[in-house]
Structures are given as structure tokens and as C-alpha cells.
Amino acid sequence: MLTERTTLVQFLIEERRRHPGASGELNSLILDVALACKAIANRVASGALGGALGSAGQVNVQGETQQKLDILANDYFVRATEWCGDVAGMVSEELDDPYLLPDGYPRGKYLLVFDPLDGSSNIDVNVSVGSIFSILRAPNPGIDPVRDDFLQRGTEQVCAGYAIYGPSTMIVLSVGTGVHAFTLDPNLGEFFLTRESIKIPAAAKEFAINASNQRFWEPAVQRYVSECLAGKSGPRQRDFNMRWVASLVAETHRILTRGGIFLYPRDSRAPAKAGKLRLLYEANPIAFLIEQAGGAASTGRQRMLDVVPSDIHQRISFIFGPSEEVARIEEYHDQPYEPPTTLPLYKTRGLFREEVS
Ligand code: AHG
Ligand code: MN
Ligand code: MN
């Protein structure tokens, strides 16, 4: 095993050799993130035996009830990375404000942004969860960052990735040279390269959306999904399958593996919010990976990585998948759409009509 496969450490060192000026700080930070992910994987895998299931009984800045694992995972990320001198500060889904390092630790040249535990609603039901991370350059290396320092476009990311805690634990990341996947050997405690230069399959055969929100969707999304559902006999002239894991990481991993399209669009439930997923630590890192894998990621109206963030916990509408499919959805956002009013069940001679008359 050791000679046949490349370890994460070896992979990162070989990447660094291509940049003669690189100091190794980025690699060291990525490896500390990987350590945090291993610690989280352990707690996730222990389930009820690890005493970490269930609610922590408190609410985060998003107004969401924190699970014990949300807090534990946040702690692992912070503790594994704060000491090393590679980061200047952090932003986490679970912390209201940017995390500033304790006195005594050197401030480095990177900012670390993360969703420590993604898909929290899956924890107690033993379904895949993950962690998402993004690394940016600190505008002022060596000193504590301010809030605005984190408000960088997704194009500025130096590294983005996720860990998935599923039947096996994997890290999937990009440092801007393609997307690569590493699988954890739990006996050795080491990640090994198992998929190199991942490319998103071109034709989408599956779509992922939380259909319970359908009545709140915008016309463009109504149209896209209804055309997928119409299958072979509809305008798309082929059948689509549907999946929803309610874990962005698991959804991304499936799409990077066997293709498909993901939508968590803006909806009319909470007009003040532009969507559900968070720009800095969910949409941007995943968008970076998807683009690196040859796909496209969009708000529906613009390329995700071009969005100028206005808040560290900003929410945004998120659509990603093969470029052609994303372009189609963007086009629908530009066109007027009248939903069909002649669905058989609601017609004058339809089922419900007969019941009420
Ligand atoms: P988190 O657990 O970090 O709060 O993220 C959950 C997100 C994301 O992973 C998933 O795509 C989405 O919320 C699920 O939303 P619904 O509950 O609306 O299905
Ligand atoms: Mn999340
Ligand atoms: Mn989370």
C-alpha cells in the first residue's frame, strides 16, 4: 500500500515543488485541516458510543439549533490550526464573529473559512455528513484580521475542499490545479490519493433539490424542474432521476462522481435571505471545486466565484453542475415564464374539480 499509492503529504509536497518560491505554510495548514477532519471522522464514526449525538441546546448566529457535533467539529478545526503560525484568523459557521487567535500564537498569512459540520440534520440518522473549508490570503499577514478581510471573491481562494464522513472518510480538494480525492486508511491514519483530476460528467441525468420548497421557487426553477420531471415526453426528451441527501457535501460528492445538477435556489419564504446556503464557507469552496472539475457554479444570475461578499454569514442562491445545464438555468432566469395551468388533475374534468363541484 505504502509504495503503490501517493499520500496526501506526498501529493502536497510534489505540488509545492512546482512553485519554487512556496514556503510550505499552505501545505502545513492543509495538513492541520486534514488532522481536524480525522478527529471529526472518529467522533462521527463512534455514533452514540462517542456521546456526541443530539442537540447542544443552543442556537448559532444563523438562528439554527447547534448539534453537539457542530460544536465539537468547530473546536477541532480551531484547535488543530490556531497554533501553527499559518493562519491569521478564521471564520466559522458556528461562530458569530471572526475567530482571533489567542495571545502567544504567531499570526500567519492565510485566512481559514469553514463549515465544520455540514448536513447536521443527518447526524442522528447515521447518514453522510462532511466539513467544508476555504483558504484565502490575509490582506495583512502577521496581524489579526478584521471582518472585511474575509469578504473576498471566491476567485481569490488559494485552496478549497471538503471532507466527507460516509462509509469511508475522504478529503476532496483543489489548490487550483484540478480536483483530487484522498481516502482515509483508518488503520494508518493517512489519506491516500484515490482519484486524480476529477472531471464532472458532462450530461446530467439526476437533479438534486429540496422539492418541499417548490411553491416558493422562482419561475426559472419551476420551469427547469418541471421540464426534468416531464422526462422523455417533455422538452428535455430524456428521463431524470432525483436525489436529496440534505448534505451539500454528500450531494457534491455524488455529482463529482456520477454527475447531476444541484439547486438550492432563492425562494420566497424569507425575502430578506437570498437563499439558504452560505456564500463564504459553503457556496464558494464548492463552486471552486466544481469549476476546477470543469463544471459551472452560479447564483442563477451570475458566476458564484465573482460575487462580492457583503457579510461573513451571507446566504446565497446556489446552482451547480455541468456547464451546459447551468447555462440553461441561467437562461431561464432571463426569460419570462408562465407556468402551465392545464395540469390534468386541476382541469375542469380533473379529479379534484369533480370532487369540489
Ligand atoms: P449545515 O448542516 O452546515 O447547516 O448545512 C445544511 C445545508 C446543506 O448541507 C444542505 O444542502 C441543506 O442545508 C439542506 O437543507 P434542507 O434542510 O432545506 O433540505
Ligand atoms: Mn453546511
Ligand atoms: Mn454546518
Side-chain angles (χ1 to χ4, degrees):
M1 177 68 142
L2 277 176
T3 49
E4 283 164 19
R5 291 200 185 272
T6 306
T7 65
L8 175 60
V9 180
Q10 192 181 343
F11 173 88
L12 291 173
I13 289 174
E14 281 167 9
E15 280 289 318
R16 198 198 69 200
R17 284 191 188 133
R18 296 201 222 163
H19 305 273
S23 62
E25 285 159 281
L26 177 65
N27 282 358
S28 147
L29 177 56
I30 295 171
L31 291 172
D32 286 334
V33 168
L35 176 63
C37 295
K38 282 191 270 190
I40 298 167
N42 261 336
R43 295 303 289 258
V44 169
S46 310
L49 302 177
L53 298 189
S55 164
Q58 58 192 69
V59 171
N60 67 10
V61 68
Q62 328 274 331
E64 291 165 353
T65 303
Q66 288 174 310
Q67 305 294 304
K68 285 183 195 154
L69 262 175
D70 285 322
I71 295 175
L72 259 170
N74 180 70
D75 223 47
Y76 284 136
F77 258 82
V78 170
R79 301 289 163 249
T81 56
E82 65 178 351
W83 62 275
C84 63
D86 302 321
V87 278
M90 312 179 200
V91 154
S92 163
E93 179 192 341
E94 303 305 336
L95 301 170
D96 302 8
D97 301 310
Y99 178 81
L100 302 182
L101 309 183
D103 290 343
Y105 292 142
R107 276 64 179 153
K109 62 180 187 194
Y110 294 108
L111 302 176
L112 178 63
V113 179
F114 54 93
D115 173 356
L117 210 290
D118 174 68
S120 305
S121 70
N122 287 334
I123 297 169
D124 289 355
V125 290
N126 202 5
V127 170
S128 292
V129 289
S131 303
I132 310 174
F133 60 93
S134 160
I135 299 174
L136 299 161
R137 286 194 179 83
N140 298 299
I143 59 169
D144 286 334
V146 295
R147 218 178 174 84
D148 281 1
D149 291 349
F150 291 89
L151 305 181
Q152 301 184 32
R153 272 184 250 251
T155 45
E156 302 305 308
Q157 293 172 103
V158 178
C159 172
Y162 62 80
I164 180 165
Y165 315 115
S168 59
T169 292
M170 296 181 75
I171 282 188
V172 178
L173 59 75
S174 177
V175 287
T177 54
V179 181
H180 312 289
F182 303 82
T183 305
L184 179 66
D185 177 333
N187 296 317
L188 291 173
E190 181 61 271
F191 285 99
F192 288 91
L193 182 63
T194 44
R195 274 183 77 201
E196 212 170 340
S197 303
I198 297 173
K199 288 288 164 215
I200 193 165
K205 298 191 194 80
E206 283 181 329
F207 66 99
I209 192 164
N210 184 341
S212 70
N213 299 325
Q214 177 165 12
R215 66 195 183 283
F216 305 114
W217 295 339
E218 291 188 276
V221 176
Q222 297 280 2
R223 174 179 176 188
Y224 180 77
V225 171
S226 71
E227 290 180 359
C228 290
L229 290 171
K232 257 196 187 115
S233 49
R236 301 303 305 272
Q237 297 176 324
R238 64 179 203 266
D239 291 335
F240 283 78
N241 194 9
M242 188 172 86
R243 284 288 182 275
W244 187 249
V245 189
S247 158
L248 174 63
V249 163
E251 236 86 60
T252 305
H253 198 68
R254 185 189 60 250
I255 289 170
L256 284 176
T257 307
R258 68 176 192 211
I261 179 107
F262 174 96
L263 304 98
Y264 210 121
R266 179 168 96 180
D267 64 40
S268 58
R269 262 178 307 173
K273 288 182 194 159
K276 174 169 186 191
L277 297 172
R278 279 59 55 107
L279 173 60
L280 287 194
Y281 41 80
E282 291 180 317
N284 267 347
I286 299 299
F288 188 79
L289 292 173
I290 294 296
E291 284 201 4
Q292 285 288 320
S298 169
T299 65
R301 294 183 163 82
Q302 80 173 114
R303 180 187 178 209
M304 185 61 67
L305 296 181
D306 282 338
V307 174
V308 179
S310 55
D311 184 79
I312 58 171
H313 295 296
Q314 177 181 352
R315 293 177 191 261
I316 198 141
S317 162
F318 192 21
I319 292 159
F320 67 83
S323 308
E324 254 181 47
E325 212 67 23
V326 173
R328 172 186 287 270
I329 299 170
E330 284 181 335
E331 253 172 55
Y332 288 4
H333 278 80
D334 292 337
Q335 293 169 8
Y337 172 62
E338 275 299 317
T341 50
T342 50
L343 290 169
L345 285 183
Y346 300 95
K347 271 167 64 173
T348 24
R349 285 166 50 218
L351 188 57
F352 296 138
R353 180 73 198 149
E354 274 168 19
E355 269 175 20
V356 290
S357 60

